[in-house]
Amino acid sequence: MQNFIFQNSVKIVFGKGQISKLSSLIDTNKKVMLLYGGGSIKRNGVYDQVMESLKNHTVVEFSGIEPNPQYGTLMRAVQMVRNEKVDFLLAVGGGSVLDGTKFISAATNFKGYAWDIIAKNAPLTGVTLPIGTIITLPATGSEMNANFVVTNEDTKEKLGMNKPEVLPQFSILDPEAIYSLPEKQVSNGIVDSFIHTTEQYLTYPDHGYLQDRQAEAILKTLIEIGPKYLKDKTNYELASNFMWCATNALNGNISVGMPQDWVTHMIGHELTALYGVDHGQSLAIVLPGVLEVKKEEKAEKLLQYAERVWDITEGTNEEKIDLAIQKTIDFFESLGVKTRLSDYNIDDSKFEMIRQRLTKRNMLLTGERKSFTPEDAVKVLELRK
Ligand code: NZQ
Ligand code: ZN
């Protein structure tokens, strides 16, 4: 296990009716900006619960943060935060709203071109605004991490960043808030949580026995409850477990001291930026290809995955690994998430452009062994046609 320093100070307020705790989580002397997306929170009653709880606070609103939040939209919010002298940001929605809010927090007092925060990892020059969140879509783990992914609509770039300064102070996780999710978003969320886990687990063994078991626990729980939850979307216990899996898949816990991959996400972001496929869909397409291309380097962990996660006991090591990859594909498909580029009408015309973009961005050697090249990305895409 490698040396590590781990700090995650997000206060998690979990359970039914917990949105009512908002009033005590934010000082009444703070001017709050409520940030949300396209209106799902108005239809499922979450907005009303927020406003009821904040009735003694001064609240301004910014709505319209879109899925895969866009730089231009977020900069309009930054302008409003400055004009209104807001001093607390409350993000209510899915990962896009939470990520967008983190960017707004970082950009408000930033001196310079704010896109550089993401594109160049520019140090945050001014103070960030405190953030609280209410997550309504279990998937990204954004409620308990400091990551944010933003799309630049002009250059069609989708890039992620991590800045400890924008870690939320608190996040409310009310499983009842996810009952209204469309099936597609539930499936995407299960796949995203699953692949966050594999990005930190399907690498090479590094004696993180506990971390391995924790990752396997998340994967096995998602395999067990995912299909059940899709058929029973108001089942509180299933919703709770799905939510807690998603948070634990990307709150930093399972990756401490361990190698990490993230190549599937890197290629997936290109597919979303260029073709508009959902984040979860992009990952379901790419992961099987990455496992195939890096099968030898990942062999030990793939075998462990086959035996411990999919309970495959028969066959040679190679057969076990092949079956585990096939079972992974079948799992995503069983959730209704298609896994081939052709399922989304994507042809190979932009593969070369993707290779060039990764090269230009200096993503020359990535993955857990720093051995994955832009050419490998093309191989992965070729396999997923
Ligand atoms: O905009 P509204 O009306 O709220 O509708 C949203 C949106 O259309 C809807 N939705 C959310 N909660 C709902 C609901 N509809 C009904 N009932 C509810 N309870 O779902 C749609 C998708 O929302 P979005 O926030 O885009 O989805 P998700 O949570 O999957 O977030 C995806 C974004 O997060 C980034 C992705 O790249 C993408 O930009 N990621 C962030 C990460 C992080 N912060 O650590 C890691 C991830 O790997 C990922 O990259
Ligand atoms: Zn993801």
PDB file of all heavy atoms in Angstrom, residues 139-140 192-193 195-196 250 262 265 269 279-280 283, ligand 2:
ATOM      1  N   ALA A 139     -24.934   8.832  -8.400  1.00  0.00           N
ATOM      2  CA  ALA A 139     -24.114   8.475  -9.563  1.00  0.00           C
ATOM      3  C   ALA A 139     -22.681   8.954  -9.398  1.00  0.00           C
ATOM      4  O   ALA A 139     -21.740   8.172  -9.356  1.00  0.00           O
ATOM      5  CB  ALA A 139     -24.693   9.069 -10.853  1.00  0.00           C
ATOM      6  N   THR A 140     -22.531  10.272  -9.294  1.00  0.00           N
ATOM      7  CA  THR A 140     -21.208  10.874  -9.445  1.00  0.00           C
ATOM      8  C   THR A 140     -20.367  10.861  -8.174  1.00  0.00           C
ATOM      9  O   THR A 140     -19.146  10.953  -8.244  1.00  0.00           O
ATOM     10  CB  THR A 140     -21.347  12.336  -9.873  1.00  0.00           C
ATOM     11  OG1 THR A 140     -22.104  13.014  -8.858  1.00  0.00           O
ATOM     12  CG2 THR A 140     -22.062  12.460 -11.200  1.00  0.00           C
ATOM     13  N   ASP A 192     -22.447   4.416 -13.652  1.00  0.00           N
ATOM     14  CA  ASP A 192     -21.414   5.386 -13.262  1.00  0.00           C
ATOM     15  C   ASP A 192     -20.770   4.972 -11.928  1.00  0.00           C
ATOM     16  O   ASP A 192     -19.538   4.928 -11.801  1.00  0.00           O
ATOM     17  CB  ASP A 192     -22.029   6.792 -13.172  1.00  0.00           C
ATOM     18  CG  ASP A 192     -20.975   7.894 -13.162  1.00  0.00           C
ATOM     19  OD1 ASP A 192     -19.829   7.650 -13.596  1.00  0.00           O
ATOM     20  OD2 ASP A 192     -21.303   9.018 -12.719  1.00  0.00           O
ATOM     21  N   SER A 193     -21.607   4.614 -10.964  1.00  0.00           N
ATOM     22  CA  SER A 193     -21.075   4.201  -9.650  1.00  0.00           C
ATOM     23  C   SER A 193     -20.219   2.944  -9.794  1.00  0.00           C
ATOM     24  O   SER A 193     -19.164   2.817  -9.164  1.00  0.00           O
ATOM     25  CB  SER A 193     -22.216   3.880  -8.672  1.00  0.00           C
ATOM     26  OG  SER A 193     -23.145   4.915  -8.650  1.00  0.00           O
ATOM     27  N   ILE A 195     -18.574   1.959 -12.440  1.00  0.00           N
ATOM     28  CA  ILE A 195     -17.304   2.210 -13.146  1.00  0.00           C
ATOM     29  C   ILE A 195     -16.377   3.127 -12.339  1.00  0.00           C
ATOM     30  O   ILE A 195     -15.155   3.029 -12.448  1.00  0.00           O
ATOM     31  CB  ILE A 195     -17.578   2.676 -14.593  1.00  0.00           C
ATOM     32  CG1 ILE A 195     -18.279   1.507 -15.336  1.00  0.00           C
ATOM     33  CG2 ILE A 195     -16.295   3.102 -15.304  1.00  0.00           C
ATOM     34  CD1 ILE A 195     -18.629   1.729 -16.778  1.00  0.00           C
ATOM     35  N   HIS A 196     -16.937   3.976 -11.472  1.00  0.00           N
ATOM     36  CA  HIS A 196     -16.031   4.681 -10.538  1.00  0.00           C
ATOM     37  C   HIS A 196     -15.264   3.657  -9.708  1.00  0.00           C
ATOM     38  O   HIS A 196     -14.081   3.815  -9.419  1.00  0.00           O
ATOM     39  CB  HIS A 196     -16.818   5.607  -9.604  1.00  0.00           C
ATOM     40  CG  HIS A 196     -17.402   6.767 -10.316  1.00  0.00           C
ATOM     41  ND1 HIS A 196     -18.488   7.453  -9.870  1.00  0.00           N
ATOM     42  CD2 HIS A 196     -17.049   7.358 -11.481  1.00  0.00           C
ATOM     43  CE1 HIS A 196     -18.786   8.412 -10.730  1.00  0.00           C
ATOM     44  NE2 HIS A 196     -17.922   8.372 -11.714  1.00  0.00           N
ATOM     45  N   LEU A 250     -17.109   7.089  -4.840  1.00  0.00           N
ATOM     46  CA  LEU A 250     -16.191   8.175  -5.241  1.00  0.00           C
ATOM     47  C   LEU A 250     -16.037   9.236  -4.150  1.00  0.00           C
ATOM     48  O   LEU A 250     -16.050  10.434  -4.417  1.00  0.00           O
ATOM     49  CB  LEU A 250     -16.638   8.797  -6.579  1.00  0.00           C
ATOM     50  CG  LEU A 250     -15.561   9.566  -7.354  1.00  0.00           C
ATOM     51  CD1 LEU A 250     -14.273   8.778  -7.503  1.00  0.00           C
ATOM     52  CD2 LEU A 250     -16.047   9.989  -8.716  1.00  0.00           C
ATOM     53  N   TRP A 262      -8.756   5.504 -14.481  1.00  0.00           N
ATOM     54  CA  TRP A 262      -9.501   6.663 -15.002  1.00  0.00           C
ATOM     55  C   TRP A 262      -9.430   6.855 -16.509  1.00  0.00           C
ATOM     56  O   TRP A 262      -9.883   7.875 -17.037  1.00  0.00           O
ATOM     57  CB  TRP A 262      -9.102   7.968 -14.268  1.00  0.00           C
ATOM     58  CG  TRP A 262      -9.481   7.871 -12.830  1.00  0.00           C
ATOM     59  CD1 TRP A 262      -8.640   7.705 -11.767  1.00  0.00           C
ATOM     60  CD2 TRP A 262     -10.826   7.829 -12.289  1.00  0.00           C
ATOM     61  NE1 TRP A 262      -9.361   7.565 -10.589  1.00  0.00           N
ATOM     62  CE2 TRP A 262     -10.698   7.644 -10.888  1.00  0.00           C
ATOM     63  CE3 TRP A 262     -12.100   7.926 -12.851  1.00  0.00           C
ATOM     64  CZ2 TRP A 262     -11.810   7.558 -10.043  1.00  0.00           C
ATOM     65  CZ3 TRP A 262     -13.200   7.842 -12.005  1.00  0.00           C
ATOM     66  CH2 TRP A 262     -13.047   7.668 -10.632  1.00  0.00           C
ATOM     67  N   HIS A 265     -12.987   6.988 -18.065  1.00  0.00           N
ATOM     68  CA  HIS A 265     -13.596   8.319 -17.960  1.00  0.00           C
ATOM     69  C   HIS A 265     -12.998   9.295 -18.968  1.00  0.00           C
ATOM     70  O   HIS A 265     -13.710  10.104 -19.564  1.00  0.00           O
ATOM     71  CB  HIS A 265     -13.447   8.867 -16.539  1.00  0.00           C
ATOM     72  CG  HIS A 265     -14.577   8.464 -15.654  1.00  0.00           C
ATOM     73  ND1 HIS A 265     -14.750   7.173 -15.228  1.00  0.00           N
ATOM     74  CD2 HIS A 265     -15.631   9.170 -15.147  1.00  0.00           C
ATOM     75  CE1 HIS A 265     -15.852   7.103 -14.485  1.00  0.00           C
ATOM     76  NE2 HIS A 265     -16.399   8.302 -14.427  1.00  0.00           N
ATOM     77  N   HIS A 269     -15.457  11.012 -21.627  1.00  0.00           N
ATOM     78  CA  HIS A 269     -15.705  12.463 -21.720  1.00  0.00           C
ATOM     79  C   HIS A 269     -15.603  12.937 -23.167  1.00  0.00           C
ATOM     80  O   HIS A 269     -16.333  13.850 -23.578  1.00  0.00           O
ATOM     81  CB  HIS A 269     -14.709  13.230 -20.845  1.00  0.00           C
ATOM     82  CG  HIS A 269     -14.974  13.101 -19.363  1.00  0.00           C
ATOM     83  ND1 HIS A 269     -16.176  12.692 -18.858  1.00  0.00           N
ATOM     84  CD2 HIS A 269     -14.190  13.334 -18.284  1.00  0.00           C
ATOM     85  CE1 HIS A 269     -16.122  12.673 -17.529  1.00  0.00           C
ATOM     86  NE2 HIS A 269     -14.924  13.054 -17.160  1.00  0.00           N
ATOM     87  N   HIS A 279     -23.189  10.581 -19.715  1.00  0.00           N
ATOM     88  CA  HIS A 279     -21.942  10.154 -19.076  1.00  0.00           C
ATOM     89  C   HIS A 279     -21.938   8.642 -18.813  1.00  0.00           C
ATOM     90  O   HIS A 279     -20.995   7.937 -19.181  1.00  0.00           O
ATOM     91  CB  HIS A 279     -21.753  10.944 -17.776  1.00  0.00           C
ATOM     92  CG  HIS A 279     -20.549  10.531 -17.011  1.00  0.00           C
ATOM     93  ND1 HIS A 279     -19.278  10.646 -17.516  1.00  0.00           N
ATOM     94  CD2 HIS A 279     -20.415   9.966 -15.773  1.00  0.00           C
ATOM     95  CE1 HIS A 279     -18.415  10.185 -16.630  1.00  0.00           C
ATOM     96  NE2 HIS A 279     -19.076   9.767 -15.565  1.00  0.00           N
ATOM     97  N   GLY A 280     -23.009   8.132 -18.212  1.00  0.00           N
ATOM     98  CA  GLY A 280     -23.070   6.699 -17.891  1.00  0.00           C
ATOM     99  C   GLY A 280     -22.985   5.848 -19.156  1.00  0.00           C
ATOM    100  O   GLY A 280     -22.305   4.818 -19.192  1.00  0.00           O
ATOM    101  N   LEU A 283     -19.450   5.549 -20.543  1.00  0.00           N
ATOM    102  CA  LEU A 283     -18.591   4.641 -19.774  1.00  0.00           C
ATOM    103  C   LEU A 283     -18.907   3.176 -20.093  1.00  0.00           C
ATOM    104  O   LEU A 283     -17.998   2.336 -20.190  1.00  0.00           O
ATOM    105  CB  LEU A 283     -18.776   4.874 -18.269  1.00  0.00           C
ATOM    106  CG  LEU A 283     -18.533   6.295 -17.754  1.00  0.00           C
ATOM    107  CD1 LEU A 283     -18.844   6.356 -16.264  1.00  0.00           C
ATOM    108  CD2 LEU A 283     -17.111   6.745 -18.016  1.00  0.00           C
TER     109      LEU A 283
HETATM  110 ZN    ZN B   2     -18.307   8.934 -13.750  1.00  0.00          ZN
END
